[in-house]
Amino acid sequence: MRRKLSTSDSYLNLFAYLTTNPSLKLSRQLHAHITLRGLLHLLPPLAAAKMLAMYASSGDLLSAHSLFNHFHSSSSSSSSSPLLFNALIRGYSRLGHHEQTLRLYSRMMHLSRPDHFTFPFVLKACAGLSLARTGKCVHAQCVGNGFERDLYVGSSLVNAYVKCGELGLARQLFDEMPVRDVSSWNALVSGCMRSGMVGLGEELFWRMERRNVLSWTGMISGYAQNGLASKALSMFHRMASGGDRGSEVIRPNWVTVMSVLPACAHSAALEQGRRIHDYARSIGLGGNSSVQTALIAMYAKCGSLVEARRSFDELVDKGVVGWNTMITAYASHGKGAETISTFEDMIRAEVHPDFITFTGLLSGCSHSGLVEIGLAYFNDMERVYSVEPRVEHYACVVDLLSRAGRLREAKELIDRMPMPPSASVWGAVLAASCRMHKNLEIGEMAAKELFVLEPENIGNYVLLSNMYAEVGKWEEVDKLRAVVKSLGIKKQPGCSWTEINGRAHLFLGGDVSHQQAKEIYKLLEALPEQIKAAGYVPDTSFALHDVSEEEKEHNLSTHSEKLAIAFGLLNTPPGTVLRVTKNLRICGDCHSAIKFISRIYDREIIVRDVNRFHHFRDGSCSCGDYW
């Protein structure tokens, strides 16, 4: 008896310490010590469970499961205890092994009785696998075992239903809970935001009596995911300044910072992104690898490759995610040579590429016209790097060939694809046929496929309509317009925005609502003469309406990106870099005009359109007119 008590008292604290401070080496040494002294079979249920938890926390689930089987095959009283099941279920669940969690729970139902420690982890597994039906069965078992009113079980049920897309059931359960903790509120608020029910999410958030860092982070992330960048930034700044309730001050953590940076990227709010970067440094998060990786993406999407590269160089642990982010950044800016050199640096650093790596690499080759190099990398993907090509890689290579005018080869590749071609594949063919190589036959074929794959994407109808208009087939244009009208889909209006002194200014095509509209249009009226004197010739093919050339020129002069640039010229000192973001592809005439504007005003102008970045300087563009 003395030896049994000694075992329990002596080792429980050691198991607990190694669970909190995982060390697989020390865990194995302790295990060997206990085994050599013949004490393993004497461990009571609690100590045995703690030993399992020790191994699970170190990530060695194989040893944990082996011990589990040992205890259950022995004659120890621990064989019927739920403690062992709970310890192993918790380990599998925390490491994301959801299927094994559910299999172990099924076994537990036959050999032991689950308790209120069991169900939260089982429900987490249901949520991780989006198994709503299984979740409902576990819910019934919670009720059958009398745990439906347990606070933690109830919160786990709400969270599981939210993540399984059963928001109505989650809300019903939430309303019936006698006591709600902050985690149940957070689960419902996050579920509303993820489902696009922003208004309801806001209402619940402000009703919360107590909020924690997850509450604020969930709202910030939800706003960003729903395209409400300004609200995400406003919420972050409110949180960073101490929130608004009581004396408890809740500061952002690294997850919060990661959640708000995409909002800066979405709205191209470079100054806001820089301020958040400074704030992250001030609270000790400047060296966090996840934050640094998010900063690389933010700076790149805000048009500052220099700062993106600086953040990448400061990243100590350059894992595959960090390398992929930098490769994708160079690709989106059309920097093909830099995309390739970064990929080769990644290989030399012995970091194995994945499918995301090759999407960025092939995209960079495509945007820079590096056809043969791109084809070579595509052919080496599986053979050299053991990465099986996916549909997005085929889309990149089809785009690569199509941009180079090799439309027949692109069509042959599509015919050889081992999977059905996606809309992005046919979209690459249609765009190249329409914008660069004027191949109506292949363009019509691609459009026909796209009308089936994505019948409500008006962009495909617009591209084909433009092709018809360019060759004067106005009857075909009218037919397409009739189809669009019958489907009830509307063309997305072109808009551009620019950030001046930390504030975003939005412009629609032909917009006269801005408070400086008079000055903007006055500058634009003077521009044609200046840039025409420098050699600019309006390309009225981009104003594809059956109207006079004079009207076409006027329509071109009021495109949203020109309004944004004119506003920037009026409101920034000479030499300031102008950064403009457009929600659609920049048109060829604007592309030509901006080259001349950059020379006349001696400005660097960076335009981010829906496909890529264009860096204009001294009358030329970084894309080399290959876009």
Side-chain angles (χ1 to χ4, degrees):
M1 187 61 152
R2 181 189 60 78
R3 196 177 185 191
K4 205 167 188 178
L5 285 173
S6 174
T7 299
S8 178
D9 294 341
S10 301
Y11 296 120
L12 269 176
N13 288 338
L14 286 174
F15 293 145
Y17 175 80
L18 289 173
T19 300
T20 308
N21 305 277
S23 169
L24 187 56
K25 181 180 178 180
L26 290 177
S27 296
R28 286 173 175 167
Q29 287 177 344
L30 181 59
H31 185 177
H33 169 84
I34 293 170
T35 303
L36 287 171
R37 279 165 171 71
L39 303 176
L40 191 62
H41 70 285
L42 296 176
L43 290 179
L46 180 60
K50 292 289 185 182
M51 191 174 184
L52 289 186
M54 173 189 74
Y55 268 120
S57 67
S58 298
D60 187 359
L61 289 174
L62 189 63
S63 294
H65 207 119
S66 177
L67 274 175
F68 174 86
N69 290 333
H70 166 78
F71 288 125
H72 270 279
S73 64
S74 72
S75 59
S76 170
S77 60
S78 65
S79 62
S80 60
S81 171
L83 292 171
L84 285 175
F85 279 105
N86 286 346
L88 197 55
I89 284 173
R90 185 186 301 115
Y92 277 126
S93 179
R94 284 180 170 169
L95 292 174
H97 298 293
H98 302 311
E99 291 179 354
Q100 292 95 322
T101 300
L102 293 179
R103 280 199 290 268
L104 192 60
Y105 171 68
S106 178
R107 182 179 172 188
M108 181 182 189
M109 292 293 289
H110 291 92
L111 298 174
S112 183
R113 183 174 177 174
D115 58 23
H116 64 288
F117 291 111
T118 313
F119 288 113
F121 294 103
V122 174
L123 289 165
K124 181 182 177 182
C126 295
L129 296 170
S130 296
L131 295 175
R133 187 173 178 180
T134 304
K136 290 174 184 176
C137 292
V138 176
H139 185 181
Q141 289 155 4
C142 292
V143 174
N145 284 277
F147 296 119
E148 73 275 13
R149 292 189 174 274
D150 181 271
L151 177 62
Y152 300 109
V153 172
S155 297
S156 299
L157 281 165
V158 171
N159 185 59
Y161 278 135
V162 164
K163 291 184 176 176
C164 290
E166 297 282 356
L167 199 58
L169 287 173
R171 180 63 191 271
Q172 180 182 336
L173 187 64
F174 177 84
D175 290 339
E176 293 172 353
M177 290 175 68
V179 180
R180 304 171 189 133
D181 66 352
V182 69
S183 64
S184 57
W185 282 93
N186 287 346
L188 194 58
V189 169
S190 296
C192 290
M193 299 299 283
R194 277 198 301 270
S195 302
M197 300 170 68
V198 175
L200 180 56
E202 290 174 327
E203 177 193 335
L204 290 166
F205 178 80
W206 295 117
R207 278 176 51 196
M208 293 175 70
E209 292 183 5
R210 178 175 171 269
R211 306 184 189 100
N212 60 16
V213 67
L214 295 177
S215 315
W216 290 89
T217 302
M219 288 299 293
I220 291 165
S221 176
Y223 280 136
Q225 290 166 7
N226 283 283
L228 300 169
S230 61
K231 285 195 170 188
L233 290 165
S234 176
M235 183 69 81
F236 177 83
H237 293 310
R238 188 168 187 168
M239 179 188 184
S241 63
D244 65 341
R245 187 179 285 267
S247 58
E248 184 181 10
V249 176
I250 300 168
R251 297 297 185 191
N253 60 14
W254 67 272
V255 181
T256 317
V257 175
M258 279 188 64
S259 297
V260 76
L261 287 172
C264 299
H266 175 78
S267 58
L270 180 60
E271 292 304 320
Q272 298 244 36
R274 285 170 175 160
R275 285 199 288 270
I276 291 170
H277 189 178
D278 289 340
Y279 176 80
R281 287 196 193 101
S282 73
I283 60 173
L285 295 176
N288 182 284
S289 59
S290 297
V291 170
Q292 287 179 306
T293 303
L295 284 165
I296 298 167
M298 182 277 292
Y299 279 127
K301 290 177 181 177
C302 288
S304 182
L305 266 180
V306 171
E307 287 169 289
R309 182 70 203 203
R310 188 180 302 138
S311 295
F312 177 74
D313 289 338
E314 291 173 356
L315 184 61
V316 177
D317 182 18
K318 291 181 175 66
V320 66
V321 177
W323 286 100
N324 285 351
T325 304
M326 196 66 237
I327 288 169
T328 302
Y330 278 130
S332 67
H333 284 260
K335 302 287 186 181
E338 290 85 347
T339 304
I340 292 168
S341 66
T342 305
F343 172 77
E344 294 297 341
D345 288 342
M346 177 184 184
I347 299 304
R348 281 190 286 272
E350 298 183 348
V351 178
H352 191 75
D354 61 13
F355 73 97
I356 297 173
T357 315
F358 280 98
T359 302
L361 177 62
L362 294 172
S363 176
C365 292
S366 176
H367 283 300
S368 300
L370 303 173
V371 181
E372 298 307 325
I373 296 174
L375 289 173
Y377 277 125
F378 178 69
N379 291 330
D380 285 347
M381 274 183 66
E382 194 163 14
R383 182 176 60 85
V384 176
Y385 301 103
S386 302
V387 179
E388 185 178 355
R390 301 188 183 188
V391 68
E392 51 263 46
H393 303 120
Y394 281 95
C396 287
V397 178
V398 168
D399 188 54
L400 177 80
L401 292 168
S402 299
R403 286 174 183 272
R406 294 159 65 167
L407 293 168
R408 297 293 175 188
E409 289 178 66
K411 176 61 170 62
E412 290 170 4
L413 178 62
I414 292 172
D415 292 338
R416 297 197 306 270
M417 284 177 62
M419 72 284 288
S422 65
S424 59
V425 171
W426 287 113
V429 176
L430 177 60
S433 302
C434 169
R435 293 172 180 143
M436 289 173 282
H437 304 296
K438 315 301 181 187
N439 190 318
L440 182 58
E441 177 191 351
I442 290 183
E444 284 181 316
M445 175 190 65
K448 187 181 294 185
E449 297 288 344
L450 287 165
F451 293 160
V452 174
L453 289 170
E454 42 182 28
E456 295 187 355
N457 184 347
I458 195 169
N460 301 323
Y461 299 93
V462 170
L463 283 175
L464 185 58
S465 176
N466 288 350
M467 292 186 76
Y468 285 139
E470 285 184 41
V471 296
K473 289 191 171 186
W474 297 106
E475 287 185 11
E476 298 298 330
V477 171
D478 291 338
K479 286 179 184 177
L480 277 178
R481 286 177 180 167
V483 171
V484 169
K485 187 176 181 180
S486 68
L487 291 171
I489 52 179
K490 295 182 179 180
K491 184 177 179 181
Q492 184 181 13
C495 69
S496 299
W497 59 95
T498 185
E499 184 190 36
I500 305 292
N501 297 324
R503 182 185 168 197
H505 296 263
L506 177 71
F507 299 90
L508 296 171
D511 195 354
V512 293
S513 63
H514 195 277
Q515 60 184 8
Q516 286 186 253
K518 189 177 293 185
E519 295 94 323
I520 290 169
Y521 277 94
K522 186 176 180 181
L523 187 149
L524 287 174
E525 286 169 10
L527 267 181
E529 296 307 316
Q530 290 178 281
I531 61 179
K532 280 181 180 178
Y536 163 73
V537 177
D539 188 347
T540 56
S541 68
F542 291 97
L544 298 171
H545 300 286
D546 199 5
V547 295
S548 69
E549 291 298 306
E550 185 179 350
E551 287 177 284
K552 288 181 179 181
E553 284 194 32
H554 174 74
N555 291 341
L556 289 172
S557 69
T558 60
H559 280 192
S560 63
E561 53 266 59
K562 289 176 181 169
L563 297 176
I565 289 170
F567 175 78
L569 292 171
L570 288 167
N571 291 276
T572 58
T576 304
V577 176
L578 298 182
R579 303 173 193 273
V580 173
T581 303
K582 181 167 182 175
N583 67 329
L584 303 174
R585 184 182 187 269
I586 186 174
C587 85
D589 178 75
C590 286
H591 189 271
S592 177
I594 297 169
K595 287 195 292 185
F596 286 100
I597 294 169
S598 71
R599 180 191 300 167
I600 291 168
Y601 285 89
D602 192 23
R603 294 286 194 110
E604 180 180 0
I605 303 171
I606 301 173
V607 178
R608 179 180 113 187
D609 71 7
V610 71
N611 291 327
R612 58 166 294 161
F613 283 85
H614 298 267
H615 294 249
F616 298 91
R617 183 183 292 169
D618 195 28
S620 63
C621 179
S622 60
C623 72
D625 297 336
Y626 188 87
W627 55 286

